[in-house]
Amino acid sequence: MPIDPQFEENKEHAGEENGVDVWGPTDPPEELGIHGTHVAVDYDICIGDGACLEDCPVDVFTWVDTPGHPESEIKAEPTHEAQCIDCMLCVDVCPVDAIDVDPGRAGRI
């Protein structure tokens, strides 16, 4: 199941990690929620393959450790989401549809 594009309405704001908004519920290490707002990554389905890191022309993503998560023990954090140019390459290359980019949410980060 891909990331919920309506996560802001359907999930609760659970706080912040590494300067990035987190939307929950969260219950580490199995349930990590969605990280980011303008550029959002659903950590619960992210498999950490790195395609988004490799293809992003403005280096929005960095690796973070997520030990014990059943899908992967590293995730792509949208650490620099304010740099996003809305090219959608990360959305296109994600094999599990774990990323959503919404230009309308850019002003809310």
Side-chain angles (χ1 to χ4, degrees):
M1 175 188 251
I3 187 173
D4 176 4
Q6 305 297 316
F7 68 88
E8 281 186 293
E9 291 86 30
N10 297 332
K11 297 198 175 271
E12 63 186 51
H13 186 257
E16 209 176 88
E17 284 182 25
N18 305 315
V20 176
D21 284 324
V22 177
W23 306 85
T26 63
D27 187 17
E30 293 85 15
E31 193 172 23
L32 301 176
I34 294 175
H35 289 232
T37 303
H38 174 203
V39 179
V41 179
D42 189 332
Y43 272 28
D44 296 327
I45 59 175
C46 175
I47 60 171
D49 76 323
C52 55
L53 276 92
E54 292 173 14
D55 285 7
C56 181
V58 294
D59 298 323
V60 166
F61 302 96
T62 58
W63 286 120
V64 296
D65 291 325
T66 56
H69 192 270
E71 293 300 324
S72 71
E73 294 201 342
I74 58 170
K75 305 290 181 186
E77 179 93 89
T79 309
H80 308 289
E81 66 182 316
Q83 294 176 188
C84 180
I85 57 173
D86 302 323
C87 69
M88 306 297 185
L89 284 173
C90 59
V91 174
D92 292 341
V93 299
C94 182
V96 293
D97 297 323
I99 303 172
D100 184 52
V101 174
D102 186 341
R105 291 192 301 251
R108 297 194 296 265
I109 57 172

